[in-house]
Amino acid sequence: MDLRHLRYFVAVAEEENIGRAAARLHISQPPLTRQIQQLEEELGVTLFTRTPRGMELTQAGELFLEEARNIRALVEQATERTQRAGQGKLGRLDVGIFGSAILDAIPKLLLAFRNRYPDVKVVLHTMTKAEQIEALRQRRISVGFNRMLSPLADLEIKQVTTEALLLAVPAEHPLAAQPVIRFAELQDHPMVLFPTGARPSFIDKVIGLCADSGFQPLISQEVGDAVTGVALVAGGFGVCLVPDSATTLQFPGVVYRRITDTPPNFYVDLSCIYRKDDQSPILAAFLDTAERYREETT
Amino acid sequence: MDLRHLRYFVAVAEEENIGRAAARLHISQPPLTRQIQQLEEELGVTLFTRTPRGMELTQAGELFLEEARNIRALVEQATERTQRAGQGKLGRLDVGIFGSAILDAIPKLLLAFRNRYPDVKVVLHTMTKAEQIEALRQRRISVGFNRMLSPLADLEIKQVTTEALLLAVPAEHPLAAQPVIRFAELQDHPMVLFPTGARPSFIDKVIGLCADSGFQPLISQEVGDAVTGVALVAGGFGVCLVPDSATTLQFPGVVYRRITDTPPNFYVDLSCIYRKDDQSPILAAFLDTAERYREETT
DNA sequence: CTTCTCGATACCCTACAGGTATCATCGGCA
DNA sequence: TGCCGATGATACCTGTAGGGTATCGAGAAG
């Protein structure tokens, strides 16, 4: 049996007349007769009673008509859904995000993606940079978000946005009272740094900036993520350089201050990382959305 | 697209290897490659990623695999069900029965049919002889039960059983006290006859029997069916000849008595009637069951 | 570097879907 | 009653496409 048989059968059943059905199918009458005969022979069931006025369904034929219509609808639906999946419009995208970076850019980007591809189920997995890389290679995620990513042979990196750095300062701290903060002044104040874990990371960025300005920071504490860092600032552990987006963390007793004499690379990137060999149309759609986001926000 | 494509696709998806899938399908590898390519081209979707180790489903491919399996299962089910329908094992049978004749033979026969063909839904329609014939011609029923059916050009009649006649007598009636009742004695006693309506019917049977014995019955009342007839007997309207099966009607004040000197045709048939041109396998199955029933009960 | 395994390609052959011509049958109608 | 028209069935031809064999190209493995 063949989908053609089903198509022909439904046409004949609906027209109750082989000639008309043949015309509707754009074939001539004899082949249609033969196909129907074949179908009946293969099933071993008489589907039609032949009358001088045309073809009339038997009870078995009526049942088969329902089934045939059902199957044909299902085939249509399957192709349609598969095509949507092939265009990245339907399916699932596993995304790795880092600890506290669910701030500003990532939610906005995910929201934009959801709007463009409402039938793609986005699943977020919180994991560190090293875990993201491992998960990418094991195909547990298709894309990861992180900062300060280093090039890798099998993974591609694409910058999503850059963020200026701000200084998180305890409200009672002398620097909070100054109208202007110069970067070099930070050498006199204990700093909270983050994240711990896989290097290079944001920590190295900050230490590098200090080194460029000719000093070593006074490290009061290293913590895992920005949220903890700002919490320690609130607790008086010192100041902390954070990306712009961290200002969404409004802790009582913490104020954010701009640095006036920013060195040229006084910003940090937010990038996404994915397998070079990943041909998934959903990933392509996601990266396209990310690209648009980047263009809109720069 | 074609069911073959689905079969091939599922095999490749399951084997993750075109060569093995080809072996499983008993074809050689190149045609299988081509069929998969055709399928992908027709859908416009890459279903597999080709690796040096074999074929790996894409996300769209995974979805299509589910759909394909589903469709294939449905096709199998459709053929199976249609075949059962074609063998008369699945479907619906509309049966016309007459007023009060839901006694003895018909329920037993229907029960036997249900046991042999549990998936055939039997729908009973109570209708008179004339209504049955009309309903048969209009195909609202496939078979009807009745007595004293006359041959018709387009309808076939098949006897199901015969029943001896008994006399329903009021308990207080003089005949009830006699040890023996001879048929000729009935000429002295008012009788209830049934059914009214289309002739020839059971009424004519009784009148004919009386005529054969050389008398005209004293008709006290004509009623629509045996139940009403026996009820009138209970009410003292007279005696009433009824088929054997009517003894299942146990009215208080009514007793059934045998006639001793029965004439040779002192019985009435129960037959079924159906369209000569009806090729329905369900009807055939039903008639076969009826035939067996007849053989078992004679 | 060789070898093995995978899918892809090239080319041939045959089966079968589809075409035309024609037949058989049954109702309707003059 | 017999002709005509409509219906599905049959006979036969043709071209497409599905399946076969032989072979290639690319990676992985040794």
Side-chain angles (χ1 to χ4, degrees):
Chain A
M1 186 164 42
D2 209 335
L3 289 182
R4 181 185 46 253
H5 288 114
L6 298 187
R7 199 169 79 248
Y8 288 4
F9 168 76
V10 171
V12 173
E14 284 175 356
E15 298 288 345
E16 294 187 324
N17 176 309
I18 289 202
R20 277 202 303 277
R24 187 172 118 184
L25 295 165
H26 306 297
I27 63 172
S28 63
Q29 170 257 318
L32 184 52
T33 293
R34 200 160 21 127
Q35 292 294 318
I36 297 296
Q37 287 171 339
Q38 276 180 15
L39 180 60
E40 287 185 324
E41 181 147 357
E42 187 178 337
L43 290 173
V45 174
T46 303
L47 299 171
F48 294 98
T49 53
R50 276 72 169 171
T51 75
R53 289 184 320 286
M55 310 280 278
E56 199 174 324
L57 282 171
T58 63
Q59 207 178 102
E62 301 252 20
L63 189 149
F64 191 66
L65 176 59
E66 278 185 54
E67 306 270 12
R69 282 186 174 136
N70 191 7
I71 290 167
R72 275 167 50 74
L74 230 73
V75 168
E76 199 146 331
Q77 186 184 313
T79 65
E80 200 263 351
R81 280 167 54 85
T82 305
Q83 280 166 351
R84 279 166 40 81
Q87 290 160 18
K89 291 178 184 163
L90 177 67
R92 167 180 171 143
L93 183 73
D94 289 88
V95 180
I97 54 177
F98 56 100
S100 58
I102 325 174
L103 304 167
D104 202 51
I106 293 177
K108 280 182 183 163
L109 173 55
L110 291 177
L111 198 63
F113 182 70
R114 274 190 109 87
N115 286 338
R116 279 183 71 195
Y117 299 93
D119 293 334
V120 175
K121 189 174 165 188
V122 176
V123 182
L124 298 181
H125 304 267
T126 299
M127 38 179 76
T128 66
K129 192 188 295 184
E131 286 170 344
Q132 284 184 17
I133 289 168
E134 192 191 359
L136 279 168
R137 291 190 171 133
Q138 292 176 356
R139 316 210 163 185
R140 297 204 317 276
I141 62 173
S142 294
V143 62
F145 280 96
N146 228 306
R147 304 187 192 280
M148 316 267 306
L149 288 160
S150 315
L152 289 161
D154 54 342
L155 302 180
E156 189 75 34
I157 295 163
K158 186 191 187 81
Q159 183 170 297
V160 175
T161 188
T162 61
E163 299 183 60
L165 299 186
L166 293 181
L167 192 67
V169 190
E172 312 302 327
H173 195 280
L175 285 177
Q178 290 186 207
V180 167
I181 302 175
R182 301 181 55 227
F183 185 62
E185 293 180 71
L186 298 188
Q187 69 183 296
D188 304 324
H189 303 281
M191 288 176 73
V192 177
L193 293 183
F194 66 92
T196 51
R199 313 297 275 264
S201 72
F202 186 56
I203 280 190
D204 304 286
K205 176 79 193 181
V206 174
I207 293 173
L209 285 168
C210 296
D212 292 347
S213 289
F215 66 94
Q216 270 200 319
L218 296 169
I219 302 176
S220 77
Q221 183 70 40
E222 287 188 19
V223 297
D225 57 55
V227 178
T228 318
V230 176
L232 289 196
V233 170
F237 274 66
V239 299
C240 181
L241 278 172
V242 297
D244 201 1
S245 61
T247 56
T248 54
L249 296 167
Q250 288 294 350
F251 272 71
V254 175
V255 295
Y256 295 96
R257 291 285 180 268
R258 291 211 165 274
I259 307 289
T260 51
D261 60 338
T262 54
N265 54 346
F266 199 69
Y267 57 83
V268 66
D269 69 302
L270 176 66
S271 298
C272 58
I273 182 166
Y274 52 92
R275 289 195 309 280
K276 277 181 181 164
D277 66 355
D278 191 338
Q279 298 300 312
S280 156
I282 294 180
L283 174 62
F286 183 79
L287 293 175
D288 180 61
T289 306
E291 177 65 23
R292 292 197 193 192
Y293 177 83
R294 197 184 64 71
E295 284 168 6
E296 281 170 16
T297 55
T298 51
Chain B
M1 185 162 46
D2 212 333
L3 290 182
R4 182 185 46 252
H5 287 113
L6 298 187
R7 197 170 80 248
Y8 288 6
F9 168 75
V10 170
V12 173
E14 283 175 358
E15 298 290 345
E16 296 187 324
N17 175 314
I18 287 201
R20 277 201 305 277
R24 187 172 119 184
L25 295 166
H26 307 296
I27 63 174
S28 62
Q29 170 257 317
L32 184 53
T33 294
R34 204 166 11 136
Q35 293 293 321
I36 298 296
Q37 287 171 338
Q38 275 179 14
L39 180 61
E40 287 185 325
E41 182 148 355
E42 188 178 336
L43 289 172
V45 175
T46 304
L47 298 172
F48 294 99
T49 53
R50 277 74 170 171
T51 76
R53 289 185 318 285
M55 309 281 278
E56 197 174 325
L57 281 172
T58 62
Q59 206 177 103
E62 300 254 20
L63 189 148
F64 192 66
L65 176 60
E66 279 186 54
E67 306 270 12
R69 282 186 174 137
N70 190 8
I71 290 168
R72 275 167 50 74
L74 230 74
V75 168
E76 201 146 330
Q77 185 184 315
T79 67
E80 199 265 350
R81 280 166 56 83
T82 304
Q83 280 165 353
R84 278 165 42 77
Q87 290 159 18
K89 291 178 184 163
L90 176 67
R92 166 181 171 143
L93 183 73
D94 289 87
V95 180
I97 55 176
F98 57 101
S100 57
I102 324 176
L103 303 169
D104 202 50
I106 293 178
K108 281 182 184 160
L109 174 55
L110 291 177
L111 198 63
F113 182 70
R114 275 190 105 88
N115 286 338
R116 280 183 70 197
Y117 300 92
D119 293 334
V120 176
K121 188 175 166 187
V122 175
V123 182
L124 300 180
H125 305 267
T126 298
M127 38 178 79
T128 66
K129 192 188 296 185
E131 286 170 344
Q132 285 183 17
I133 290 168
E134 193 191 357
L136 280 168
R137 293 194 169 131
Q138 293 176 356
R139 318 211 161 182
R140 298 204 316 276
I141 63 174
S142 294
V143 62
F145 281 96
N146 229 303
R147 304 188 192 278
M148 315 267 307
L149 289 160
S150 315
L152 289 162
D154 54 341
L155 301 179
E156 189 76 33
I157 295 163
K158 186 190 187 84
Q159 184 170 293
V160 175
T161 188
T162 62
E163 299 183 62
L165 300 187
L166 293 181
L167 193 67
V169 189
E172 311 303 328
H173 196 280
L175 286 176
Q178 291 185 207
V180 165
I181 302 176
R182 301 181 54 230
F183 184 60
E185 294 180 73
L186 298 187
Q187 67 182 302
D188 304 323
H189 301 281
M191 289 178 69
V192 178
L193 295 183
F194 66 89
T196 51
R199 313 296 274 264
S201 72
F202 186 55
I203 280 189
D204 304 288
K205 176 79 191 178
V206 175
I207 292 173
L209 285 169
C210 296
D212 291 349
S213 289
F215 67 94
Q216 269 200 320
L218 295 169
I219 303 175
S220 79
Q221 183 70 38
E222 288 188 16
V223 298
D225 57 57
V227 178
T228 317
V230 176
L232 289 196
V233 170
F237 274 68
V239 299
C240 182
L241 279 170
V242 297
D244 200 4
S245 61
T247 56
T248 53
L249 297 166
Q250 288 295 349
F251 272 69
V254 175
V255 296
Y256 295 95
R257 290 287 179 266
R258 287 212 169 276
I259 308 290
T260 51
D261 60 339
T262 54
N265 55 346
F266 198 70
Y267 55 84
V268 68
D269 68 302
L270 177 67
S271 299
C272 58
I273 181 167
Y274 52 93
R275 287 195 309 279
K276 277 181 181 162
D277 65 353
D278 192 336
Q279 299 301 311
S280 157
I282 294 180
L283 175 62
F286 183 79
L287 293 175
D288 181 60
T289 306
E291 178 65 24
R292 293 198 192 191
Y293 176 82
R294 197 185 63 74
E295 284 166 7
E296 282 170 18
T297 56
T298 51

